[in-house]
Amino acid sequence: MSMQTLTPRETARRRLLDALRREGPLARVEIGQQLGMSPASVSELTASLLDEGILVAEEGGDALPGLIRGRPKVRLFFADTLGSVVGVWTGFNRIELRLVDSAGRNRASRHVERPLRNLEAEALMDALADTISAFARDAGAPDVKAIGLACQGYVDTRDGVVAWSPVLGTRDLPLAEGLRQRLGRPVLIENDASAMAFAIAQRDPALRSGRTACLMIGDGVGLGFLVQGELYRGARSGGSEFGHVRLRRSGPQCRCGGRGCIEAFLADYALHRDAQLIDHRPPPASLIPSEAAMGAIVDKARAGDAALLGLFREAGEVLGDAASILIQTLEPDRLVICGPGTRAMDLLRPSFEAALESQTIPALRSLATVQVVESSLDLLTEGVVMQALRELDLDLARLKAA
């Protein structure tokens, strides 16, 4: 991806493309309202983008407010012939893949069970590259322009390095460059909680203003923090490892090697581990329980199992404590609870809300709204696909030499 400075005209093109990527198809008048541009400027920019085949126009629908009654609006959207991107999520010995065309339409998806945890760096990158190549080939997508990859753990997005991940067996992995060399395509990598936060914010315009903290629960516990719809980055351009904040020094074992982390009480593997001790259920085939295994625990708790209800009650308290820490340290406008772990939110909610109210300074608690977004792993690949498409839009915004 080129880092050259954009000219003023290219910057205007980029803003226009970004609005269409964010909001979906828009009419020219709507583009002008979104960007504060004059009708003449919008017409000039869109005319060139249409001529270059970057945008296409579609007529239909009702008249826009203020226009002649019955006159059809003309919405502009991305052409689907500009190439495609592949989104990838790496979990514990599993890979989720998604193919999306340049218009943002899903074309194919795949779930792959493949051993990754014990592979050395080169073998790991070979395995990922082979899996991505096979998926793109089988999906009939020879025009892949970029790959976006979401990974658990501490991800340095600037240098494309996975410094540490609980699902990979190697540290300081130069994943972006390693995959770029193998696939011959630009590779963007992201922490998976940040990827989910970005995807959720793209779906809900209300989350793209102010400060939004997305607390993801599921395989682990992660945090994506957005300011005006853009991901907040740390000193190494990474995200937060909020799930590894220690709550209790003598607490349960966490995957990071420490004890008493938020994740060690709340993640799927922690809940399943404790459920095994309660009702002697068989251990999962891997360290991370399946969705079916977690669903069985939730169903049994809902049926009235007192011990399992107690397990979710304690997890809800931890979730409330975690939310209180976030509100009192970051002062977000909104706190979003998301991720596959929201499957049990009805069981977590009573103790979550009680802990949140009792542990949070009232003046700060009143500043933040809390909402739950039921979400699956699909949002992880959706988030990195959107980011990869935006990077491609940067190249599309550049004026080609005559």
Side-chain angles (χ1 to χ4, degrees):
M1 307 287 180
S2 175
M3 298 298 291
Q4 295 176 347
T5 303
L6 297 177
T7 67
R9 180 173 172 78
E10 288 172 336
T11 299
R13 283 163 60 100
R14 174 64 194 271
R15 290 182 62 215
L16 192 154
L17 294 175
D18 201 45
L20 289 174
R21 188 66 71 189
R22 184 178 62 246
E23 304 293 341
L26 295 172
R28 290 174 180 85
V29 66
E30 294 170 317
I31 294 171
Q33 293 167 350
Q34 285 272 334
L35 303 180
M37 289 183 179
S38 68
S41 296
V42 172
S43 294
E44 182 183 2
L45 290 171
T46 55
S48 64
L49 291 167
L50 287 163
D51 288 343
E52 294 168 37
I54 294 172
L55 299 182
V56 292
E58 179 181 70
E59 295 190 5
D62 298 326
L64 287 170
L67 296 183
I68 298 172
R69 190 169 186 83
R71 179 182 175 182
K73 59 189 174 184
V74 179
R75 295 203 184 275
L76 306 179
F77 55 95
F78 283 89
D80 61 8
T81 55
L82 305 172
S84 57
V85 301
V86 174
V88 185
W89 175 75
T90 57
F92 187 85
N93 292 338
R94 53 186 171 146
I95 306 168
E96 302 289 337
L97 303 109
R98 177 195 298 239
L99 177 73
V100 173
D101 65 26
S102 53
R105 300 187 183 95
N106 291 330
R107 295 302 187 186
S109 61
R110 177 177 293 177
H111 170 85
V112 176
E113 298 283 343
R114 184 161 188 174
L116 299 173
R117 179 65 176 82
N118 296 321
L119 295 179
E120 296 296 330
E122 294 299 318
L124 171 62
M125 290 189 288
D126 286 342
L128 284 173
D130 290 346
T131 302
I132 294 168
S133 295
F135 169 64
R137 182 180 61 250
D138 294 346
D143 58 343
V144 172
K145 300 295 187 183
I147 293 95
L149 189 146
C151 184
Q152 294 180 45
Y154 189 82
V155 176
D156 181 344
T157 60
R158 178 187 59 204
D159 295 332
V161 172
V162 180
W164 169 80
S165 172
V167 300
L168 303 179
T170 182
R171 292 176 180 263
D172 297 317
L173 180 69
L175 190 55
E177 178 60 19
L179 290 179
R180 186 197 65 78
Q181 292 177 358
R182 288 164 171 79
L183 298 171
R185 298 290 185 275
V187 178
L188 172 152
I189 66 171
E190 183 63 83
N191 168 267
D192 62 348
S194 293
M196 180 169 282
F198 188 76
I200 288 172
Q202 298 311 296
R203 291 186 176 189
D204 185 352
L207 302 180
R208 298 200 296 269
S209 63
R211 297 168 178 82
T212 299
C214 292
L215 184 57
M216 184 180 80
I217 55 177
D219 279 9
V221 174
L223 173 67
F225 194 71
L226 299 131
V227 180
Q228 298 300 124
E230 298 295 335
L231 288 168
Y232 173 80
R233 304 293 187 189
R236 290 184 64 184
S237 297
S240 166
E241 282 305 306
F242 184 72
H244 299 289
V245 170
R246 182 179 292 180
L247 286 184
R248 301 170 195 170
R249 186 172 295 275
S250 58
Q253 182 67 51
C254 180
R255 292 183 297 174
C256 72
R259 284 187 174 274
C261 300
I262 292 170
E263 177 178 295
F265 293 92
L266 190 55
D268 285 353
Y269 73 85
L271 294 171
H272 193 278
R273 175 186 62 199
D274 291 347
Q276 285 179 254
L277 298 176
I278 289 172
D279 62 5
H280 308 291
R281 66 182 54 247
S286 73
L287 292 179
I288 303 298
S290 66
E291 183 62 31
M294 291 307 301
I297 296 171
V298 171
D299 289 344
K300 191 170 181 180
R302 286 179 180 143
D305 187 286
L308 290 178
L309 284 171
L311 176 63
F312 284 105
R313 181 171 58 250
E314 182 178 7
E317 291 174 358
V318 170
L319 183 60
D321 290 344
S324 176
I325 292 171
L326 280 176
I327 289 172
Q328 295 180 143
T329 54
L330 298 176
E331 292 189 34
D333 299 289
R334 290 163 295 275
L335 174 61
V336 177
I337 311 296
C338 59
T342 56
R343 70 175 83 80
M345 200 63 207
D346 59 318
L347 302 174
L348 301 171
R349 191 182 294 277
S351 55
F352 161 70
E353 292 179 346
L356 180 60
E357 296 300 326
S358 66
Q359 296 301 315
T360 310
I361 297 171
L364 293 177
R365 172 66 187 90
S366 64
L367 294 177
T369 60
V370 179
Q371 67 187 84
V372 177
V373 175
E374 293 187 8
S375 40
S376 66
L377 295 178
D378 290 344
L379 279 169
L380 299 173
T381 52
E382 182 176 321
V384 287
V385 157
M386 289 178 173
Q387 288 176 301
L389 286 170
R390 289 181 75 195
E391 289 297 318
L392 291 182
D393 295 345
L394 177 59
D395 290 332
L396 294 175
R398 299 188 190 282
L399 294 169
K400 305 302 184 285

